[in-house]
Amino acid sequence: MNHSTTEVGSETSEPLRYLSKVEADAIESELLKEYKFGLQQLIEIWGHACAIAITKAYPLSSMGRKQPTVLVVCGPDQNGCIGLVCARHLRMFEYEPTIYYPKRSSNGLHQDFTVQCEKMDIPFLSYLPTEVQLINDAYHLVIDAILGLEADPANVKEPYAGILVTLKQVKIPIASVDVPSGWDVDEASTEGINPEVLISLTAPKKCATSFTGKHFLAGRFLPYDIQKKYDLNLPEYPGTDCLIEL
Amino acid sequence: MNHSTTEVGSETSEPLRYLSKVEADAIESELLKEYKFGLQQLIEIWGHACAIAITKAYPLSSMGRKQPTVLVVCGPDQNGCIGLVCARHLRMFEYEPTIYYPKRSSNGLHQDFTVQCEKMDIPFLSYLPTEVQLINDAYHLVIDAILGLEADPANVKEPYAGILVTLKQVKIPIASVDVPSGWDVDEASTEGINPEVLISLTAPKKCATSFTGKHFLAGRFLPYDIQKKYDLNLPEYPGTDCLIEL
């Protein structure tokens, strides 16, 4: 076989690229405009991969006899929408997600993903307890699908600033989607939240360079030509898995 | 745990429901209108599941030293579009799909899925050889994503009638997506093509009741309330798998 995968897969000795915000935006834009991927399609792919990552990092069996509860905190933009899809798939995997989605998007596509969760009977919290112990007691983990690529970490507005203050204090693990909320995409944060798990979408961002937690990469769908153009040097995904632990 | 899954999962003794065309259409319509699923999202989910089914039925390792070639024949409507997505994922799984898509859809969504395949450098055949031996020699298997739910088997038009004549003669295995092309959704066919593998989407159709080949069901995303409303009695999907062999 003489696949182009071998050119970008594990046989290369080049290290995995960590993307700047500018590069990550450029790749997403190219996927949409040149490769004609749709946002509905990408959000479904990414949210599904996030749910699979959670099942690997926190298998149902690890939750003992307690309810496998997960708090999914969703931001106002695309990252939050990926969180909604993640919650829906976690429900199909027999977890018990609860969604906190304080500012619902006016984007019709995001609204459709919201209805899908509501129709799956996934509960939505109307507010986040400020008493951290209540969160620690009620959930096994928090999924941070709050700010993502789009946000400006120097200018986090309410209610997200307050949510981040709360999440910095929780004792249960946090799994962040793509970029830990409050972090700058281009550099690691020492002051922000401290996720135990990071699920990088498409390719990891610069802020993840020194991340020491469990790090998953979910971007198998990425066309080979984009992988080559941006020198991503992605690892070879095992079997038919949609993600890989780095 | 007291999940609604247990009410519809393997603990029930009710047999799996096989859907009529009318019921299958009603479920898809309800998914779109009530549950706000999008066609782009569903086609991606279904096409991905079809590719996974192919990797299970025909693993790369079973293809020996020869190129893992697969001919994906795509019809003009939604079934064909699912075939395009299946081909794209097979390419990511290191198969070598070739697409035959004689009448391209004018639907913008279908066109986008077509571009995604073209941009993955998947070859498109300009015609199907009528010399069956050429097909037998060039490919390991044929994926039949031709007619599906929408078609009227009593009135198969060209070029599909001719394609079915050819596919009835090929010696390599055929894997059909949802409904073997030329079959009536509501009853098994003895005269149509004879697939070795059938991948039922959402729930199996009546025509699959006595299907004796390898039969996969891909419909894990289906909300529990729809499963209950239509008494689907779906089996319990293993782990995080998106499909199950029946």
Side-chain angles (χ1 to χ4, degrees):
Chain A
M1 291 195 292
N2 181 21
H3 283 160
S4 50
T5 23
T6 54
E7 294 164 46
V8 294
S10 61
E11 290 175 37
T12 173
S13 56
E14 296 292 320
L16 181 64
R17 271 284 300 289
Y18 287 73
L19 302 178
S20 68
K21 176 169 164 47
V22 171
E23 289 167 322
D25 285 341
I27 290 179
E28 185 170 322
S29 167
E30 196 162 331
L31 280 172
L32 296 171
K33 289 188 192 138
E34 303 295 322
Y35 288 78
K36 296 291 180 191
F37 277 85
L39 273 180
Q40 192 184 58
Q41 177 186 18
L42 291 176
I43 290 170
E44 178 69 26
I45 290 171
W46 284 325
H48 175 256
C50 287
I52 301 269
I54 296 299
T55 69
K56 288 184 188 285
Y58 307 101
L60 280 177
S61 58
S62 72
M63 299 196 176
R65 281 195 230 164
K66 289 202 294 180
Q67 311 270 103
T69 52
V70 178
L71 178 62
V72 187
V73 186
C74 298
D77 298 316
Q78 188 163 300
N79 206 260
C81 197
I82 294 167
L84 296 171
V85 175
C86 174
R88 198 184 79 237
H89 284 284
L90 283 177
R91 184 69 196 82
M92 304 300 316
F93 299 152
E94 306 201 11
Y95 288 74
E96 295 187 13
T98 292
I99 293 168
Y100 179 50
Y101 187 26
K103 276 189 147 179
R104 300 197 178 192
S105 170
S106 59
N107 177 317
L109 184 59
H110 297 185
Q111 289 175 344
D112 285 350
F113 281 115
T114 311
V115 173
Q116 292 171 25
C117 287
E118 290 171 336
K119 289 271 190 179
M120 286 283 288
D121 287 333
I122 298 174
F124 283 67
L125 286 186
S126 53
Y127 68 95
L128 189 69
T130 48
E131 179 57 72
V132 173
Q133 194 55 42
L134 291 175
I135 300 175
N136 293 337
D137 290 346
Y139 305 101
H140 282 269
L141 72 142
V142 176
I143 297 177
D144 155 31
I146 308 172
L147 296 178
L149 261 190
E150 308 104 323
D152 174 6
N155 187 22
V156 178
K157 300 211 173 98
E158 293 300 345
Y160 307 106
I163 292 170
L164 291 183
V165 169
T166 302
L167 292 188
K168 275 188 222 172
Q169 301 170 63
V170 298
K171 297 279 180 253
I172 53 175
I174 296 174
S176 287
V177 173
D178 206 27
V179 176
S181 293
W183 288 30
D184 189 296
V185 175
D186 290 341
E187 51 192 317
S189 162
T190 49
E191 292 176 21
I193 60 169
N194 182 21
E196 186 173 88
V197 165
L198 175 60
I199 307 153
S200 290
L201 307 178
T202 305
K205 315 303 172 298
K206 281 195 186 301
C207 63
T209 310
S210 55
F211 181 70
T212 55
K214 227 175 170 62
H215 189 185
F216 294 95
L217 174 61
R220 183 162 198 170
F221 70 96
L222 208 63
Y224 297 122
D225 283 353
I226 285 203
Q227 298 185 28
K228 276 184 253 178
K229 176 170 175 184
Y230 290 89
D231 290 324
L232 297 183
N233 302 316
L234 297 181
E236 204 162 309
Y237 287 89
T240 57
D241 290 4
C242 61
L243 82 169
I244 186 171
E245 189 176 343
L246 296 175
Chain B
M1 292 195 293
N2 180 21
H3 282 158
S4 50
T5 24
T6 54
E7 295 164 44
V8 293
S10 62
E11 291 177 36
T12 174
S13 55
E14 296 294 318
L16 181 64
R17 271 287 298 289
Y18 287 73
L19 301 178
S20 67
K21 176 168 164 45
V22 170
E23 290 167 322
D25 285 341
I27 290 179
E28 185 170 322
S29 167
E30 195 162 334
L31 281 172
L32 296 171
K33 289 188 191 138
E34 303 295 321
Y35 287 78
K36 296 290 180 192
F37 278 85
L39 273 180
Q40 192 183 58
Q41 177 185 17
L42 291 177
I43 290 169
E44 178 69 25
I45 291 172
W46 285 325
H48 175 256
C50 287
I52 301 269
I54 296 299
T55 69
K56 288 187 188 284
Y58 307 101
L60 279 177
S61 59
S62 72
M63 299 194 176
R65 281 194 231 167
K66 290 201 295 180
Q67 310 270 104
T69 51
V70 178
L71 177 61
V72 187
V73 187
C74 297
D77 299 315
Q78 187 162 299
N79 205 260
C81 196
I82 294 168
L84 296 171
V85 175
C86 174
R88 199 184 80 237
H89 284 284
L90 284 177
R91 184 69 197 81
M92 305 300 316
F93 299 152
E94 306 200 12
Y95 288 74
E96 296 187 12
T98 293
I99 292 169
Y100 179 51
Y101 188 24
K103 276 189 145 179
R104 300 198 178 192
S105 170
S106 59
N107 176 317
L109 184 59
H110 297 186
Q111 289 176 343
D112 284 351
F113 281 115
T114 310
V115 173
Q116 291 171 27
C117 287
E118 291 172 335
K119 290 271 190 177
M120 286 284 287
D121 287 332
I122 299 174
F124 283 68
L125 287 186
S126 53
Y127 67 95
L128 189 69
T130 48
E131 179 58 72
V132 173
Q133 193 55 42
L134 292 174
I135 300 175
N136 293 337
D137 290 345
Y139 305 100
H140 282 269
L141 72 143
V142 176
I143 297 177
D144 154 31
I146 309 173
L147 295 179
L149 259 190
E150 308 104 324
D152 175 5
N155 187 21
V156 177
K157 300 209 173 98
E158 292 301 342
Y160 306 106
I163 292 171
L164 290 183
V165 168
T166 302
L167 291 189
K168 274 188 222 175
Q169 301 171 62
V170 298
K171 297 278 182 254
I172 54 176
I174 297 173
S176 287
V177 173
D178 206 28
V179 175
S181 293
W183 289 30
D184 188 295
V185 176
D186 291 340
E187 51 193 316
S189 162
T190 49
E191 291 175 21
I193 61 170
N194 183 22
E196 185 173 88
V197 165
L198 175 61
I199 306 153
S200 291
L201 306 178
T202 305
K205 314 304 174 295
K206 280 195 187 300
C207 63
T209 310
S210 55
F211 182 70
T212 54
K214 229 176 169 59
H215 188 186
F216 293 95
L217 174 61
R220 184 164 196 168
F221 71 95
L222 208 63
Y224 297 123
D225 283 352
I226 285 203
Q227 298 184 27
K228 277 185 254 177
K229 176 171 174 182
Y230 290 89
D231 290 323
L232 297 184
N233 302 313
L234 297 180
E236 205 162 309
Y237 287 88
T240 57
D241 291 3
C242 61
L243 83 169
I244 185 171
E245 188 176 343
L246 297 176

